[in-house]
Amino acid sequence: MQFNSIDFLFFFLPLFLAAYYLLPKSWRSGLLVAGSLLFYYFGSNEPWLTLWVLIGTTAFTYLMGVCMERLNKVQVLSFSLAVLAAILVFFKLYDGGSMLPVGMSFYLFQLAAYIIAVYRDQVRQERDLFRFGAQTMMFPKLLMGPLMDPKDLQNQVKKPVFSTENFHRGLQELILGLALKVLLANRIGGLWGQAGTIGYEYISTPFAWLALIAFAAQLYLDFWGYSLMAMGLGRMLGFTLPENFIDPYASKSVSEFWRRWHASLGAWFRDNLYIPLGGNRKGTLRTILNLLVVWIFTGVWHGVGGNYLLWAMMLFFFIVMERLWLRKLLDRSRVLCHVYTVVVILLSWIPFAIGDWDKMLIFTSKIFGLGGAGLDPTDYITWGGKFLWLLVGGVVCATPLPRMIWNKVKDHWLTDIVLFILFWITVYFVATSAQDPFLYFQY
């Protein structure tokens, strides 16, 4: 089941909210666990397998938390992380990842964060099974995050905050995220898909750039849309989920971009890998080595294909260059730093988007004008015209402007009327078009 589906919007969510608010408060953690399991079951290609993996890993982590209080903490931690890592690697490698449960990387990382926090005495082992299950299985963040600080998550599940203002704001965020996904991300993705349909060897260099911009916009709006919906659903249930995207394309460096893009995943790697390795406290060479380890893990987290490792190594290279000397040069010009960041990020999306090495090389050659003019040198005019307003909308949404406007109008009564109309337009597109899953579901 997906947030952008009729089943979720008109059946699962209303029924769940009715039960959540009408039944006794003491039942809410149990209801959240049951609802999350149903949500996960109906959203999986292999429902029973994925459901048992979710239940099994959650039960295992709970048991390890209990053992942490009675046995050697280092040994329990090492064993726990090894098992969780082995499960993730197995499913990513087995049959090319075809059996990988939806969102597995996210919830296994949340479980790992919990057991690490117990080891560090940052949280106490949760004894209530339902509250523990609610922390790990909470359906708004189950499939694609955000990853949350275990202490904050534990406190929120114990004392959720309910108010009409929170519910109202959550509903607004839910509709905005849905619109970003359905009305912009899905439709902009058509331009990127068209490039693949034509064949990368047959497109012109300008069209290749347009297609790459379309992919970058689609990925951002897709994931940002999901994150907004997750935040909105969390508010409606009494929880405050952290913001995952903080205007990343407005960044002045690649390093800054990756603090703003999928911020909760970056924070996870920082707190649980980079800092324990020594961070930047042990000299330049050690810092570079620590960054290398982090980015290797980041690449593998996204997938075991060599294209993801190439993507990660590209970003690692530029982040190291910025630390050594490039950032000083970029700081001299406000324009140069933004242009540099956008261009580097766009180019880094090539191996992320194209897993086939031959096709990747062909597309890259087109990007740099080395692959000939293509079958139709004016194809960028034809397709650019068809997708013009969608591309403009995508580019505008990638700036801080939408956030600035939203902060000024979100409390005005007219905003709710606009959102009401926007919701039903979005529902029409959901009902009359093929359902496009969120792109990060594969991780």
Side-chain angles (χ1 to χ4, degrees), residues 186-425:
N186 288 357
R187 300 179 69 200
I188 290 175
L191 181 55
W192 171 252
Q194 189 61 42
T197 300
I198 294 172
Y200 301 138
E201 63 269 35
Y202 302 120
I203 62 176
S204 67
T205 291
F207 184 30
W209 277 102
L210 280 179
L212 186 58
I213 292 170
F215 175 81
Q218 179 194 13
L219 186 66
Y220 172 57
L221 295 171
D222 188 281
F223 206 179
W224 184 29
Y226 173 90
S227 296
L228 276 175
M229 295 184 78
M231 288 173 60
L233 289 166
R235 289 189 201 277
M236 294 165 75
L237 300 179
F239 309 115
T240 301
L241 275 61
E243 192 167 3
N244 233 353
F245 291 87
I246 312 164
D247 302 324
Y249 282 107
S251 301
K252 298 178 182 179
S253 67
V254 176
S255 302
E256 183 183 350
F257 181 91
W258 283 102
R259 289 193 296 270
R260 291 168 171 242
W261 176 285
H262 203 340
S264 65
L265 180 63
W268 192 99
F269 277 113
R270 179 197 65 211
D271 296 339
N272 298 302
L273 189 58
Y274 180 67
I275 291 177
L277 286 172
N280 59 1
R281 303 186 303 273
K282 298 184 178 182
T284 301
L285 288 178
R286 181 63 180 270
T287 299
I288 293 173
L289 178 61
N290 293 340
L291 286 170
L292 176 62
V293 172
V294 167
W295 279 100
I296 288 174
F297 272 86
T298 302
V300 172
W301 182 89
H302 283 86
V304 294
N307 60 308
Y308 291 113
L309 188 59
L310 174 60
W311 164 75
M313 290 302 97
M314 286 179 63
L315 296 169
F316 162 74
F317 171 79
F318 283 102
I319 288 172
V320 169
M321 290 300 101
E322 288 171 6
R323 281 181 172 269
L324 294 179
W325 62 274
L326 188 55
R327 187 59 191 267
K328 294 180 181 179
L329 175 64
L330 295 173
D331 287 343
R332 297 178 183 177
S333 170
R334 295 182 63 182
V335 175
L336 177 62
C337 62
H338 287 299
V339 172
Y340 151 82
T341 302
V342 170
V343 171
V344 169
I345 294 301
L346 282 175
L347 294 176
S348 75
W349 290 136
I350 296 175
F352 191 89
I354 306 173
D356 183 280
W357 288 88
D358 291 335
K359 292 181 179 180
M360 188 195 307
L361 290 173
I362 292 171
F363 186 83
T364 303
S365 69
K366 286 290 183 176
I367 284 290
F368 289 104
L370 303 175
L375 290 179
D376 180 6
T378 65
D379 55 2
Y380 68 97
I381 297 176
T382 302
W383 292 103
K386 291 181 178 180
F387 286 85
L388 176 61
W389 292 112
L390 289 170
L391 284 171
V392 170
V395 170
V396 170
C397 285
T399 71
L401 182 62
R403 186 187 302 272
M404 294 167 57
I405 295 174
W406 175 248
N407 287 333
K408 291 183 178 181
V409 305
K410 62 185 179 182
D411 295 320
H412 199 284
W413 63 270
L414 278 174
T415 300
D416 289 331
I417 295 177
V418 172
L419 287 175
F420 179 80
I421 296 171
L422 187 63
F423 173 75
W424 287 107
I425 293 173

Side-chain angles (χ1 to χ4, degrees), residues 2 29 34 95 120 434:
Q2 300 180 36
S29 290
D95 198 21
R120 294 172 175 169

